[in-house]
Amino acid sequence: MVIEEAVNGRDDMLIDGQMGDQVLPSGFNPNFLKLYYGIPLLKLRFQSKLFPYGDIFRWMSYGNDGKHPACDKSYFGRRELSFTLENDIYLRFLSFNSVSELEKGIREKCPFKIDIGPVYSVDPSKRHAYAQSGENVFKPVERELIFDIDITDYDDVRYCCSGADVCLDCWPLMTAAIKVINTALRDDFGFRHILWVYSGRRGVHCWVCDGKARRLTNEQRAAIADYFRVYKGSENSKKKVSLTGHALHPFLVRSYTEVLKDLFEQTLLSSQQIFSTEDKCEKVLEMIPDESVAAELRGRWQKRSSCSKDDINAVRWEHLKHTLQSGRHKGQGLRRCVEEIVFSFSYPRLDMEVSKHMNHLLKAPFCVHPKTGKYTVHLSRVCVPIDPVHCHEFDPTTVPTLSQLLQELNSGGMGQEGDNDWDRTSLGESVRFFRSSFLEPLLKSCKEEMESAYNSKLQQSKNSMTW
Amino acid sequence: MEIVRRPQLKSTAIDRGVPTLPLYRSAPSLEVRLEDFELYAIDRLRVLTGISDGLSRGKRPEEMEKLVAELWKANMRHPQASEVMNKDIISHFVLRLVYCRTYGLCALSLDYCCFHFLAYRVRILAHREDLRKWFLSMETALFRYRFRLQTAEAQRAVLAEFQLPYKAVTTSEFEVIKDKLTLVARSINQTLPTADAIFYKVPFQEVPELVAGRRVFLSDGYAYVAMNQVVSLVATQFRSLLSKALTLTNRKWMSTIREQEKDRLTPIVEALSTSYVGPDYSVGREFGEVSLKDIDNVAKSSFPLCMRHLFDKLREDHHLKHWGRMQLGLFLKVLLNSIGLFMEFIWNISKLPHPLTLAFTCYLSNPLMQQPMELGVGLKLDDALAFWKAEFSQKVGAERFDKEYAYSIRHNYGKEGKRVDYTPYSCQKIISLTPSVGDHHGCPYRHFSEENLRAALCKMGVNSGGVEDVMDKVRHKHYQLACTLTFEAIHGCPNDAGINHPNQYFSDSQKILKSKVKCLRISFLVTSVIDLEFPPISTVHSLHP
């Protein structure tokens, strides 16, 4: 009652404890956003603050908000943020010097989307002052290693949904992507502070925040992105995955055996009904470079003789594997054909451009995604972190929505002054997870790094390079 | 690195046991002649340009390896084996000075320190973008291919020199990851690692190319690099080192060196930066390189005494008064059809610029100054103007050309100013001139004291009998005959025509010496004698052998 009236514009409403359950309208209401960011709503004493300003600030400071002499007070102020406002107005090169400035800035503008950019060499909002110097004075100096995986990039291999929609049948593709990439980032590259975030609608983002990740050059980022790249899709080529060589690289082997094979065989085959129709079968057969093999299988499937109760997809997959791996057919391209098919359907598809450049902006975690879908109403979901260890349990359809949170706040009663409001909602779980599994270890590590770098600098002698 | 006047070279590099492939980490303490300073750099520049050419033609790595070996052999050798390393190092550091700048538009100032008796400043705007990036890429490529050509042992020495943050994988470590290494090798169709194969463990950031291509096994942030992949690793290191060094060099150049060396090295360096010594450079050594010696030699062998005297005095005092300049300058000018040569020279600069290659070209044809000597490019004034306008306008604009340059060119042809056609003085004219205190022009046979004349004749190589004959003629005021006798004494053959013009003396002399100096082509950059300038003392000293 109260909140509804409040958002509909009535004045002098007081909130008291008992509100009772309210079913708030779903769909996006800009006023909800205001409540989310703690913007005072029409003389309402009620003011919620769900967005975790403090945590974002601490994260982005990487320990520089402390008291140690090595702390760089300008660090947070050199980070670029960008806001997308209600009318698609886009504000870039924003920066804030403290958490209160950050809060103030967000409250003033109530952005529909907040993006985080790199840390520059100087305050980005003052970049023009340095433009005259000639040399490259304004440039990014640190930036997390980021990845963006979007389910629409898999549209050619998922049949359950398309476009912005996502369901539990195709979400496992994201789960697999998280597992493959996360394992590689840890085991192969040695990164430790990795944050996975639901992007709010149809994908996931990854933030690698180790010091050595933040200091990677564009070239190194591109190298990592290329290391992960397998799928080379385009409109023209039918076969988008080509695994040449007499063996697979250990990274691909591990991804296949630990994640992708099972995903394909246990989940995708049936959830996507990969061999259920002639068209779909043809799509797979096109990936076989040897036409005689394809023809053989095609012929076999056309007969449709067996009335077996077994799932047709599984059956046909067995046919295919058997034919290709039996050794009867020996061809250059057939060696890894089975793996190629599996990879085509399941291997992670990254947006390369996002990862390659330091100055690429990415949506901030804990933002709210304001868009709605065409036929189904996508409730403005919060971009919450995902636990990579338990990512198979993550359900995108149950991610807290804005209205849901406000609902919970409403019915939860008044908290104490100074309490974090998110604590009384389902967002609490996400924030606590963010802190315990990501933020605290990260900040601890930052502190250690800072101190040891400081100490070793004190002892270092000058470089004696002559001209 | 010290540039000294004495042609003395100490080679200590080899003694210190430096690996055969230098990393150029610091400038060595070597003494270098000014000549070598430039020559070595040009040779290296040929190598780099050759590499640039090869790369742009898309040559494969194996082909590039071969090309680099050839280029190196052709250009970077030295008669003294011990000097080969020095040449390598010196040339690299000189080019560092040249290429530490990043922007391209250079005003090329042809300030020939070698021509200590005259210099004509020509401003040519040469455009070269990203000097530093080009140099960095070519030096890295050079290093990469030279590294590939080294023995395994030498390669290991280089790795050690780099102090790279890597370790050789221990046997036990190797056992653990052997399967994975084998998989990687098979996945990229490489030879499989044997039990004694050497692998290096490197932070993955050091080898982005290998990571991108999944050509290495990665574990916990480290890449396991096979020996044959080490080249990539090393090239990256080299590039990064050099890149940092160039920044430092640039700073030092801009702040101190450029000013300090403005009379010695700076002109050379600035000229080199616009020089293009590429595969098309077909004007080889036969045209002669920098040789002050050549001028000296020619002066010694073929100048008449009057000009020889002026020449020597000029070298000594770095100055000649007006009449001296006129006498000597005109002699030289017509000797070599100066305008044509000037044009040819500048034309060569803009096409195949080696600004400091003093190609001495002596055309042994008609000694009489009335007929200007034929040259490859003997342009008439109008043609010259048209040509220069076309060339210069691209950089300077037609209007400015008319204003600033056309005048000079016309002046040189005697078409501006007093419109006097400056022809060299004949013996008659020279004899008539009377030098006063501080002058050195005129005819020495007339004006020198007996003592001085005897000394001068001895210096020229006339034997005592010949000197007596000459002195006899002088007493009788037969100055031209005296000169003729001198000629005959030095060349050992009669000169029936008799000397009546310095230019004639010269060409007669050259004719006789022709067989010995077949390709002695001497061309001076000489233009209007009005514009003579004299460089400061230090330059000359540094060139004095």
Side-chain angles (χ1 to χ4, degrees):
Chain A
M1 160 187 69
V2 175
I3 293 186
E4 189 179 348
E5 285 173 353
V7 303
N8 290 336
R10 266 194 45 197
D11 276 343
D12 41 71
M13 299 302 294
L14 290 177
I15 313 272
D16 58 7
Q18 273 63 42
M19 294 298 130
D21 283 338
Q22 283 289 326
V23 177
L24 289 171
S26 49
F28 185 68
N29 186 323
N31 285 321
F32 287 1
L33 201 60
K34 288 185 183 165
L35 286 172
Y36 183 72
Y37 287 125
I39 297 164
L41 201 59
L42 308 163
K43 296 186 189 177
L44 219 56
R45 242 205 319 141
F46 173 81
Q47 196 176 326
S48 77
K49 192 168 70 170
L50 292 165
F51 183 78
Y53 293 100
D55 295 89
I56 299 292
F57 171 74
R58 284 170 66 212
W59 171 24
M60 289 286 124
S61 298
Y62 289 98
N64 283 298
D65 54 329
K67 302 253 191 306
H68 193 277
C71 288
D72 177 358
K73 293 295 167 203
S74 75
Y75 188 83
F76 183 71
R78 290 185 283 119
R79 168 80 67 170
E80 180 193 358
L81 290 161
S82 78
F83 291 168
T84 308
L85 306 184
E86 186 159 2
N87 323 320
D88 274 341
I89 296 173
Y90 187 56
L91 304 171
R92 254 202 90 170
F93 295 112
L94 302 173
S95 64
F96 307 98
N97 290 312
S98 64
V99 64
S100 50
E101 265 188 45
L102 175 69
E103 230 180 285
K104 186 157 165 269
I106 291 177
R107 283 192 187 158
E108 264 171 25
K109 299 280 193 305
C110 192
F112 273 34
K113 189 159 89 103
I114 302 174
D115 287 302
I116 299 177
V119 178
Y120 282 94
S121 50
V122 296
D123 184 339
S125 61
K126 301 196 175 79
R127 66 197 181 284
H128 295 302
Y130 298 90
Q132 306 305 319
S133 318
E135 271 191 49
N136 234 355
V137 174
F138 176 67
K139 56 179 196 266
V141 293
E142 276 191 22
R143 210 274 188 269
E144 294 77 7
L145 175 63
I146 53 177
F147 298 98
D148 180 0
I149 308 173
D150 193 323
I151 204 137
T152 54
D153 288 338
Y154 294 76
D155 278 355
D156 62 314
V157 291
R158 62 171 183 150
Y159 303 115
C160 52
C161 323
S162 69
D165 296 331
V166 72
C167 69
L168 288 178
D169 279 337
C170 52
W171 185 256
L173 288 167
M174 292 292 105
T175 305
I178 293 176
K179 286 197 183 138
V180 167
I181 304 292
N182 197 59
T183 310
L185 288 172
R186 286 190 173 275
D187 294 356
D188 296 356
F189 291 100
F191 294 125
R192 283 168 34 230
H193 304 286
I194 304 170
L195 176 72
W196 288 93
V197 184
Y198 173 57
S199 73
R201 199 154 53 126
R202 58 189 197 209
V204 294
H205 294 159
C206 177
W207 299 76
V208 185
C209 303
D210 297 50
K212 76 175 181 181
R214 300 196 315 265
R215 291 184 285 270
L216 289 170
T217 63
N218 285 356
E219 190 193 5
Q220 290 158 343
R221 285 161 205 267
I224 296 175
D226 281 326
Y227 180 82
F228 287 134
R229 189 179 188 196
V230 170
Y231 176 81
K232 290 174 191 184
S234 75
E235 290 300 314
N236 305 318
S237 67
K238 297 207 169 68
K239 199 162 94 149
K240 320 251 168 120
V241 172
S242 180
L243 302 171
T244 53
H246 294 91
L248 288 182
H249 187 279
F251 157 62
L252 298 178
V253 171
R254 181 185 64 216
S255 306
Y256 183 73
T257 55
E258 287 181 8
V259 180
L260 303 178
K261 183 169 190 285
D262 284 345
L263 171 74
F264 183 79
E265 293 183 341
Q266 315 298 337
T267 309
L268 293 179
L269 269 180
S270 59
S271 72
Q272 299 297 324
Q273 295 285 303
I274 288 178
F275 291 101
S276 59
T277 70
E278 197 177 313
D279 279 344
K280 286 182 181 175
C281 287
E282 200 49 42
K283 196 195 196 89
V284 180
L285 291 174
E286 274 172 357
M287 296 182 195
I288 301 174
D290 187 334
E291 183 48 39
S292 60
V293 174
E296 185 188 314
L297 288 165
R298 194 180 293 118
R300 192 168 171 189
W301 295 340
Q302 263 163 6
K303 287 204 208 99
R304 265 232 218 184
S305 51
S306 97
C307 317
S308 131
K309 279 182 285 180
D310 294 329
D311 173 38
I312 195 174
N313 299 292
V315 165
R316 288 182 173 172
W317 177 240
E318 286 308 312
H319 289 168
L320 191 146
K321 269 204 297 187
H322 189 77
T323 309
L324 284 172
Q325 289 171 344
S326 67
R328 264 189 298 135
H329 300 271
K330 297 205 197 286
Q332 266 292 23
L334 294 182
R335 206 192 331 250
R336 306 245 83 84
C337 197
V338 171
E339 285 93 337
E340 282 171 357
I341 294 172
V342 170
F343 273 73
S344 296
F345 278 92
S346 61
Y347 183 85
R349 300 180 183 190
L350 307 174
D351 185 341
M352 302 287 283
E353 289 310 306
V354 169
S355 310
K356 280 184 179 178
H357 303 288
M358 280 178 99
N359 55 11
H360 200 104
L361 294 151
L362 192 65
K363 184 157 67 179
F366 294 106
C367 263
V368 180
H369 201 303
K371 291 230 176 87
T372 53
K374 196 170 169 195
Y375 298 111
T376 45
V377 171
H378 283 272
L379 319 168
S380 326
R381 301 198 189 273
V382 183
C383 301
V384 293
I386 301 175
D387 181 358
V389 175
H390 301 110
C391 56
H392 47 276
E393 293 165 9
F394 181 83
D395 182 351
T397 61
T398 62
V399 172
T401 68
L402 195 47
S403 46
Q404 176 191 336
L405 291 176
L406 294 172
Q407 184 89 48
E408 290 166 354
L409 210 56
N410 207 6
S411 51
M414 290 288 281
Q416 298 298 326
E417 270 291 334
D419 262 2
N420 284 307
D421 290 323
W422 45 257
D423 223 344
R424 297 180 279 136
T425 66
S426 352
L427 198 60
E429 197 186 319
S430 295
V431 177
R432 278 187 291 272
F433 169 77
F434 177 78
R435 286 181 179 179
S436 64
S437 74
F438 170 71
L439 191 58
E440 302 303 337
L442 171 67
L443 294 180
K444 178 160 176 269
S445 160
C446 284
K447 185 164 173 240
E448 283 164 7
E449 227 179 83
M450 200 182 278
E451 281 169 4
S452 90
Y454 184 73
N455 292 335
S456 67
K457 222 185 204 175
L458 288 178
Q459 289 170 26
Q460 217 177 41
S461 56
K462 278 216 172 108
N463 193 351
S464 60
M465 214 163 162
T466 64
W467 69 270
Chain B
M1 184 161 73
E2 219 194 284
I3 316 293
V4 294
R5 307 146 191 188
R6 302 181 312 283
Q8 194 189 86
L9 284 169
K10 293 193 194 321
S11 75
T12 56
I14 302 291
D15 305 333
R16 278 179 305 177
V18 166
T20 47
L21 202 56
L23 302 184
Y24 317 108
R25 298 186 84 134
S26 55
S29 51
L30 295 169
E31 295 169 347
V32 186
R33 289 187 301 176
L34 195 64
E35 279 175 39
D36 291 338
F37 185 85
E38 191 218 338
L39 284 174
Y40 287 177
I42 288 162
D43 284 341
R44 195 185 190 90
L45 201 49
R46 284 207 187 93
V47 176
L48 295 185
T49 319
I51 292 174
S52 180
D53 194 60
L55 289 173
S56 64
R57 284 170 208 261
K59 285 196 195 280
R60 293 191 313 273
E62 313 79 56
E63 292 172 323
M64 283 304 298
E65 217 177 282
K66 196 156 156 276
L67 176 65
V68 167
E70 281 165 12
L71 284 168
W72 193 261
K73 193 165 160 214
N75 292 290
M76 296 300 287
R77 281 183 306 183
H78 195 284
Q80 290 169 260
S82 55
E83 287 310 302
V84 172
M85 174 70 92
N86 285 347
K87 183 168 174 178
D88 182 0
I89 297 177
I90 290 164
S91 59
H92 172 88
F93 277 94
V94 174
L95 288 185
R96 253 199 221 183
L97 278 181
V98 174
Y99 288 97
C100 60
R101 278 91 56 78
T102 48
Y103 76 96
L105 203 65
C106 307
L108 171 60
S109 181
L110 301 183
D111 195 2
Y112 289 87
C113 28
C114 294
F115 289 135
H116 53 266
F117 48 86
L118 50 79
Y120 187 83
R121 287 211 160 81
V122 176
R123 301 218 141 249
I124 292 183
L125 300 176
H127 196 74
R128 182 151 200 184
E129 262 161 1
D130 236 339
L131 299 170
R132 197 196 284 191
K133 203 164 155 201
W134 182 85
F135 177 67
L136 188 59
S137 297
M138 294 310 119
E139 277 285 336
T140 305
L142 175 62
F143 185 82
R144 171 194 292 265
Y145 292 110
R146 284 180 74 198
F147 184 83
R148 281 167 70 127
L149 293 162
Q150 301 289 312
T151 62
E153 178 131 356
Q155 288 179 343
R156 265 194 281 268
V158 172
L159 290 174
E161 270 275 318
F162 264 124
Q163 294 164 344
L164 292 173
Y166 68 92
K167 296 178 191 63
V169 169
T170 63
T171 327
S172 51
E173 239 180 321
F174 181 74
E175 281 308 309
V176 172
I177 57 172
K178 198 167 82 160
D179 294 338
K180 301 271 167 43
L181 296 176
T182 308
L183 262 184
V184 174
R186 284 180 65 209
S187 76
I188 52 174
N189 298 330
Q190 294 273 308
T191 52
L192 303 185
T194 55
D196 59 346
I198 298 173
F199 275 78
Y200 291 103
K201 188 174 156 182
V202 190
F204 77 88
Q205 294 97 319
E206 309 281 337
V207 286
E209 312 150 25
L210 297 177
V211 169
R214 285 195 295 267
R215 302 179 73 81
V216 280
F217 172 60
L218 290 184
S219 177
D220 201 28
Y222 288 96
Y224 290 82
V225 183
M227 192 47 154
N228 63 10
Q229 294 173 317
V230 154
V231 179
S232 156
L233 189 162
V234 155
T236 313
Q237 285 299 316
F238 179 83
R239 194 193 172 98
S240 150
L241 257 185
L242 184 56
S243 180
K244 290 189 192 114
L246 284 172
T247 314
L248 288 176
T249 305
N250 187 36
R251 250 180 247 155
K252 242 200 156 151
W253 171 259
M254 297 306 268
S255 64
T256 48
I257 305 178
R258 187 169 68 162
E259 184 54 34
Q260 255 172 34
E261 291 289 341
K262 75 176 192 295
D263 306 318
R264 255 189 348 169
L265 304 183
T266 304
I268 299 178
V269 168
E270 286 186 347
L272 274 171
S273 73
T274 56
S275 77
Y276 163 79
V277 186
D280 292 335
Y281 187 83
S282 51
V283 185
R285 286 201 171 240
E286 71 188 47
F287 264 64
E289 303 278 76
V290 179
S291 21
L292 194 57
K293 274 203 223 84
D294 285 352
I295 308 179
D296 281 351
N297 290 342
V298 160
K300 277 195 193 103
S301 67
S302 301
F303 277 18
L305 184 58
C306 53
M307 298 305 174
R308 174 86 186 264
H309 177 64
L310 278 167
F311 186 86
D312 288 347
K313 277 299 166 191
L314 180 54
R315 302 253 282 114
E316 225 176 271
D317 301 335
H318 325 297
H319 180 76
L320 277 183
K321 287 187 159 182
H322 174 74
W323 285 107
R325 291 208 304 266
M326 293 298 280
Q327 188 171 317
L328 180 63
L330 289 169
F331 164 72
L332 294 171
K333 172 188 165 189
V334 171
L335 177 80
L336 303 158
N337 192 356
S338 62
I339 301 304
L341 276 168
F342 169 61
M343 298 302 192
E344 183 189 49
F345 193 95
I346 301 300
W347 183 72
N348 280 335
I349 297 297
S350 56
K351 290 256 162 67
L352 303 166
H354 171 202
L356 293 189
T357 296
L358 303 177
F360 292 105
T361 311
C362 170
Y363 292 91
L364 316 173
S365 57
N366 196 322
L368 301 175
M369 64 291 180
Q370 284 96 338
Q371 288 177 22
M373 299 175 191
E374 292 302 315
L375 284 173
V377 185
L379 299 171
K380 290 202 221 100
L381 175 63
D382 292 341
D383 295 359
L385 276 173
F387 169 69
W388 286 110
K389 188 161 181 172
E391 283 289 303
F392 272 60
S393 301
Q394 290 169 42
K395 303 286 192 300
V396 153
E399 228 185 309
R400 211 171 130 197
F401 173 79
D402 285 338
K403 264 207 297 195
E404 293 182 27
Y405 296 96
Y407 182 90
S408 304
I409 295 170
R410 292 169 64 83
H411 194 285
N412 290 336
Y413 276 92
K415 297 288 189 272
E416 295 289 347
K418 280 208 292 198
R419 301 184 196 229
V420 173
D421 186 22
Y422 292 100
T423 52
Y425 302 155
S426 63
C427 285
Q428 232 181 331
K429 164 111 193 199
I430 290 171
I431 290 167
S432 71
L433 300 173
T434 311
S436 58
V437 177
D439 283 334
H440 300 290
H441 61 275
C443 181
Y445 296 102
R446 184 183 167 197
H447 299 291
F448 274 26
S449 66
E450 183 167 328
E451 231 178 314
N452 286 349
L453 189 53
R454 280 174 186 276
L457 288 171
C458 279
K459 202 166 148 209
M460 278 185 85
V462 183
N463 59 41
S464 47
V467 172
E468 290 314 318
D469 290 346
V470 171
M471 294 316 293
D472 183 60
K473 294 292 178 205
V474 167
R475 265 179 242 119
H476 290 92
K477 295 196 188 341
H478 299 308
Y479 307 117
Q480 284 170 249
L481 288 177
C483 194
T484 310
L485 278 181
T486 310
F487 181 97
E488 287 174 352
I490 293 173
H491 294 84
C493 60
N495 187 321
D496 298 330
I499 301 297
N500 47 44
H501 195 289
N503 286 90
Q504 177 209 358
Y505 182 110
F506 181 92
S507 59
D508 282 352
S509 168
Q510 286 291 296
K511 267 199 200 120
I512 289 166
L513 299 171
K514 207 166 114 181
S515 52
K516 296 182 203 157
V517 290
K518 186 179 168 179
C519 286
L520 181 69
R521 318 228 244 144
I522 307 163
S523 77
F524 286 163
L525 176 63
V526 180
T527 57
S528 167
V529 296
I530 300 302
D531 296 339
L532 298 180
E533 289 176 38
F534 303 99
I537 292 173
S538 59
T539 310
V540 178
H541 268 165
S542 69
L543 297 171
H544 200 76

